[in-house]
Amino acid sequence: MDVEWRPPVTTVEKWFLPLYYPRSPLQVIGWWERRRLMYNVSVGVAGLLTLGVGAALGMLLSPGTMPSEVVGVIVYGFLANVCYTLGPVADLMLRRILGIRAPDIAPVMFRYGYVFSIGLTLLPIPIMMAGAIAQLVFGLGAAS
């Protein structure tokens, strides 16, 4: 009997690939919830990077001022989780509409949502950098 050798499944593959096809609504929700912690950690790290760059640029351009984005960060984190929670809702609705073709949808939605969330979280960095360069080069926003 020939058995085909397959390499072990990595964490990344387990997290992104459709290796498991949940059947019941509770299994669908469980599939999404098993990925929520890693999603939150990833978005949180991207957010800390964005805040760090913002604070560094703020200190460079306006020494002595403290950034006051804490409320925005909390609201952003809350809204990111609200959007993430819509993933299993959309998954369950699509399973009802598409039937047997739906199991491949959750990993695709997760991948695109994950990349979008990280990109959206990091988006302020190039915007802040462009603003800082404009301020340094053209003196925009500088106190007279």
Side-chain angles (χ1 to χ4, degrees):
M1 176 168 92
D2 289 330
V3 177
E4 180 182 346
W5 179 84
R6 293 182 183 161
V9 177
T10 65
T11 303
V12 172
E13 289 173 327
K14 197 180 290 183
W15 201 41
F16 284 110
L17 297 179
L19 301 174
Y20 168 68
Y21 296 107
R23 302 280 183 231
S24 74
L26 280 178
Q27 289 176 331
V28 169
I29 293 168
W31 186 92
W32 284 89
E33 289 305 316
R34 281 189 297 280
R35 288 154 178 78
R36 185 184 291 269
L37 177 62
M38 197 59 177
Y39 168 85
N40 283 335
V41 168
S42 299
V43 172
V45 167
L48 288 174
L49 178 63
T50 300
L51 282 174
V53 169
L57 288 173
M59 288 189 310
L60 173 71
L61 299 173
S62 305
T65 60
M66 284 299 288
S68 59
E69 291 88 10
V70 175
V71 173
V73 169
I74 293 169
V75 170
Y76 183 83
F78 174 76
L79 291 176
N81 273 283
V82 168
C83 290
Y84 186 89
T85 302
L86 295 176
V89 172
D91 188 1
L92 290 169
M93 287 174 37
L94 287 169
R95 285 170 181 272
R96 182 167 291 264
I97 294 167
L98 297 176
I100 194 71
R101 295 174 296 167
D104 293 316
I105 288 189
V108 172
M109 288 191 315
F110 178 78
R111 273 192 301 270
Y112 284 120
Y114 177 80
V115 170
F116 178 79
S117 296
I118 298 296
L120 185 63
T121 305
L122 294 173
L123 179 63
I125 292 176
I127 295 170
M128 289 184 294
M129 298 288 275
I133 291 169
Q135 187 173 349
L136 289 172
V137 172
F138 301 111
L140 301 175
S144 305

